[in-house]
Amino acid sequence: MLIAQQIRNGFIDFFKSKGHEFVPSSPIVPIGDETLLFANAGMNQFKDIFLGLVSPEHPRVVNSQKCLRVSGKHNDLEEVGKDTYHHTFFEMLGNWSFDDYFKAEAIQWAWELLVKVWGIEPDRLWATVFAGDQADGLPKDDKAAKLWTKVTTIAAEKVLAFGKKDNFWEMGETGPCGPCSEIHIDLGPDACDMKNVPHHRCRVNGGCARYIELWNLVFIQFNHQPDNELVPLSAKYVDTGAGLERIAAVLQNKTSNYDTDLFMPIIGRVSDITGHKYTSKLGNKTDNAFRVIADHIRSLVFAITDGAIPSNEGRGYVIRRILRRASRFGRELGMHEPFIYKLVPVVVDCLGDAFAEIKARADYVSTVIESEEASFGRTLDRGIEIFAAAAGRAQKSKDKIITGQDAFQLYDTYGFPLDLTELMARERNLKVDTAKFEELMEQQRARARAAQKAASFVSALSGVELPVTDDSLKYETDLCNSKVLGWITPEGFQEKGSFEDTQKSIALVLDKTCFYAEAGGQVADAGMISGPGWQFVVENTEKIADCVIHQGRLSGGALRVGDQVQARVDKDRTNTKNNHTATHLLQWALQQVLGDSARQQGSLVCPDYLRFDFTYPKALTEQEKEKVEQLVREKIAGDLPVTCCVMPKEQAQKLGAMALFGEKYGNEVRVVGIGAEGESQIGQAFSREFCGGTHVDRLGSIGGFKIIKEESISAGVRRITALTGQGLTAYLEKASDIVDELSVVLKVPSEALVDRVGQLIKDNKKLSKQLRSAAASGSDTMAEAKQLLEKCEKAGQTSLIIGRLSTTSVEQAREVIDMLKKKAKSAAIVLGIDDDGKAALLAGMTNDLIKKGVKAGDIVKQIAPIVDGGGGGRPQMAQAGGKNPKKIDDALKKAAEIIKEKLGGV
């Protein structure tokens, strides 16, 4: 039996023997393609080739592409777990021809691999072709139909024609598309999952699991335009896709993809963690949960590895939905604590050899998932209560619909994705008013857009072609001569006339500039532009397409189109250069100390300080921070040269230059090398990065380096803030002033400050301990609690432990409740304390009583008013405070009555 790795390698090797070049999978998070949230097909990375925008490096290629289908046109999320073959993440085995071979070879080779190499019985296989579409003026694909019987041994009656829905492939709403020919396999009558459906007949594309698609051969001939017109492409392409998971199930003789070696190790680990057994049955809640979790963890590992982070927008929201959906299904297996992150190592074991990137970022991925699980767990219980109330209202309604307002509250307050609310609703035979939900979501988005409106001039430039600005001088000088080409106001781009309003903010456009527009984490330059009789204060610099705009205000005079001007950047530019080069040194030093897993996630480079975000699962130790600082300072002290040069991207990659993850680069890139003298030696630099920012010429001018803060900004991402140059000097001077002041206050020399403060802290801890001991010395609380247990009433096997404790702290009373729960096994506990003239009531219930409807929070809410107070809490533990401690006994008596009534009497 072939294992999945052998199947993947066999596919690739087969097509390499047919002259195909192996191309690695593109990231699951598309770089530079905003039309896609995630890579959903193997052809995504070749889209520009199909559109004729770039020429292919190889006419034939093969690969196994990481794919995620959870949104838009291709969305399998809701089907996952219900059947044996739908997935969110999957591997698409594919071969491509870029205007080389076409239908005949694609069909012949697919049949050869399936039948002759892998040994699938040909009688089990069916083929489908495009039947045509009159509405779009598309004819039937007769050529493909004839080729099937010509180049393979398939019988003519097993070549079926279907319409656009089944046999015309489109990547999205727009883009490359064309007719396709699919290969289906008959898994036999026992595979049918619709036997109980009246009048169901098993057939290809019939909706049941007996006939499933194995391989899709797409013949890309058209480009789907936004106006729905199908325009023929200049060349013909072949794009095939075979799901590894389905192929593996067939070749391993399994009736379910989830029973293959791609999923069973994950399912086995879930079983170990939860104590539940997987039986591979459909329609079984427990088994459904196993399948959902096994599928979703694969999606999470690959998406987070490739740069997606759980959030409330875009790709991040999709990832959050998947994770929270898996967490919700974990409840079906009794999991109320984070556990999904524990599955990451199993996914790495299964797929890490094929995709090395998930090995490199495994710790980071685990950290992100665990943090997100913990966050959702804190709100899930409360959210489920809110959902139950909303569902109760829906059950009483005529339409059995949960309102859009309730669904939105669950999303906005408790982080419930809409599909999670819909899933829970379906389990109760309810629907959700999604139209109202979307209306409320759009209102929220509109409020966010309104709040984010700034002094940007982009909105005034619809349809306007701005002139190109030569900004190459930004790397060479802080001062240059230029000419005014016009200016931008809220009314648009002005190319003629004059301007003299000193109160109005505008954006000046020059033919060339030495100002740096904000990019790559480096802040924009500010400065002054001076013309004949006028001065313009530049407050910000932006780049719109290839035009640099200088935003600011006229300080006096009247500027005119055509004026000759002098542009001068503020002296702060020097400090920004220091900090930018120091940021490169910092990344190099972090990787020396922490390893290559410390990768840049973002940065801010400004005149006052630098900020650097990087992946790392835990806080740096003091020793690690000191080592990083030492390495950076050594390089600065060595006054090594910094070389910047432009080169082809492929050359830069061969040199090992680091690129910022998620950035899209052109064919030529600017590389900054530290430690190399001149462009010819840049390969010898110890630090090489793609970078379009401004830098120092030699490291000595940075003038020092110090980390002033290291913190967490999200799961698995750390942030360092550091100072150089003038900013560091000012910081050290201020620190020196503080030391001098402390020396005066504590009456010790500066070198003795650390010992003196240490002694003060030690003395303070000692006094605090003595105070706590004194407060507790009046009674032995634990002994008192044990007496309450020994004397308590019983309701069957349940202990009713209700009484007063002598003066003690609320914290210790909580410990008492935990102790009593463990000793009594089944217990309803309510304690009263006279806390320095105020009443404190605490309640605790064991889980068996909670299931019977006896909840600590409910009890406390009912008895708190007796002591003139209020409170609440969770079903397991709750507390209240009140102004009248004289009524504590009355409150305890009432608590006993309530509990006995709920338990049906004693």
Side-chain angles (χ1 to χ4, degrees), residues 699-769:
L699 296 183
S701 58
I702 295 175
F705 176 85
K706 181 166 181 61
I707 296 172
I708 60 171
K709 185 187 289 186
E710 191 270 337
E711 60 190 323
S712 170
I713 58 168
S714 67
V717 180
R718 310 294 302 177
R719 170 173 289 170
I720 281 178
T721 304
L723 300 174
T724 70
Q726 292 182 3
L728 177 56
T729 300
Y731 173 84
L732 294 175
E733 288 175 352
K734 184 177 180 181
S736 178
D737 291 342
I738 293 172
V739 169
D740 292 343
E741 188 174 345
L742 283 173
S743 294
V744 172
V745 171
L746 298 177
K747 298 183 175 61
V748 294
S750 59
E751 60 268 20
L753 273 176
V754 173
D755 291 339
R756 179 71 177 116
V757 171
Q759 187 59 49
L760 286 173
I761 293 172
K762 186 176 178 180
D763 292 345
N764 185 58
K765 286 182 178 178
K766 183 178 180 180
L767 288 170
S768 297
K769 186 176 180 180

Side-chain angles (χ1 to χ4, degrees), residues 857-900:
D858 295 344
I859 302 297
V860 160
K861 285 178 184 176
Q862 293 181 66
I863 66 175
I866 297 173
V867 294
D868 299 333
R874 296 180 292 112
Q876 294 87 354
M877 178 85 76
Q879 73 178 71
K883 301 175 183 177
N884 191 352
K886 294 180 180 179
K887 294 285 188 176
I888 289 176
D889 291 333
D890 293 341
L892 295 174
K893 183 178 178 183
K894 181 64 176 176
E897 293 173 359
I898 295 169
I899 294 168
K900 289 175 183 178

Side-chain angles (χ1 to χ4, degrees), residues 513-759:
T513 185
C514 54
F515 279 71
Y516 182 89
E518 182 173 355
Q522 180 174 329
V523 298
D525 282 338
M528 185 77 69
I529 298 174
S530 304
W534 58 266
Q535 287 191 320
F536 183 85
V537 179
V538 180
E539 299 166 346
N540 188 35
T541 309
E542 287 188 44
K543 198 166 189 178
I544 302 174
D546 292 321
C547 179
V548 176
I549 66 172
H550 308 78
Q551 298 180 20
R553 297 177 188 273
L554 190 66
S555 62
L559 62 85
R560 295 172 179 80
V561 173
D563 279 353
Q564 297 295 321
V565 300
Q566 185 181 74
R568 181 188 297 272
V569 178
D570 278 351
K571 61 181 180 181
D572 281 345
R573 159 77 79 80
T574 300
N575 295 328
T576 302
K577 286 182 178 180
N578 292 341
N579 285 330
H580 202 155
T581 307
T583 302
H584 286 220
L585 289 175
L586 174 59
Q587 174 158 231
W588 166 80
L590 284 168
Q591 292 188 346
Q592 297 300 304
V593 176
L594 307 178
D596 290 341
S597 62
R599 306 289 288 186
Q600 181 176 353
Q601 289 293 105
S603 66
L604 174 65
V605 179
C606 62
D608 301 322
Y609 61 92
L610 67 90
R611 201 174 68 201
F612 186 76
D613 302 338
F614 60 100
T615 56
Y616 199 63
K618 58 186 178 182
L620 273 67
T621 65
E622 288 302 316
Q623 292 79 9
E624 287 170 336
K625 284 189 285 187
E626 289 173 5
K627 182 62 176 176
V628 168
E629 286 181 326
Q630 177 190 343
L631 289 172
V632 174
R633 289 169 184 161
E634 286 175 354
K635 295 299 183 183
I636 293 172
D639 194 28
L640 299 172
V642 177
T643 298
C644 305
C645 63
V646 176
M647 64 179 67
K649 182 172 70 174
E650 293 75 13
Q651 181 184 348
Q653 290 170 332
K654 288 178 181 177
L655 288 174
M658 284 191 293
L660 179 60
F661 190 85
E663 282 286 323
K664 185 169 185 178
Y665 300 93
N667 292 328
E668 287 199 330
V669 296
R670 185 168 180 266
V671 175
V672 176
I674 304 178
E677 191 79 66
E679 294 185 15
S680 62
Q681 300 298 313
I682 199 164
Q684 306 303 314
F686 67 85
S687 167
R688 298 178 297 277
E689 293 190 37
F690 290 28
C691 183
T694 59
H695 289 269
V696 300
D697 294 325
R698 302 193 72 88
L699 296 183
S701 58
I702 295 175
F705 176 85
K706 181 166 181 61
I707 296 172
I708 60 171
K709 185 187 289 186
E710 191 270 337
E711 60 190 323
S712 170
I713 58 168
S714 67
V717 180
R718 310 294 302 177
R719 170 173 289 170
I720 281 178
T721 304
L723 300 174
T724 70
Q726 292 182 3
L728 177 56
T729 300
Y731 173 84
L732 294 175
E733 288 175 352
K734 184 177 180 181
S736 178
D737 291 342
I738 293 172
V739 169
D740 292 343
E741 188 174 345
L742 283 173
S743 294
V744 172
V745 171
L746 298 177
K747 298 183 175 61
V748 294
S750 59
E751 60 268 20
L753 273 176
V754 173
D755 291 339
R756 179 71 177 116
V757 171
Q759 187 59 49

Side-chain angles (χ1 to χ4, degrees), residues 14 156 305 651 740 784 791 852:
F14 175 82
T305 291
Q651 181 184 348
D740 292 343
E784 199 172 12
K791 298 176 181 178
K852 295 177 181 179

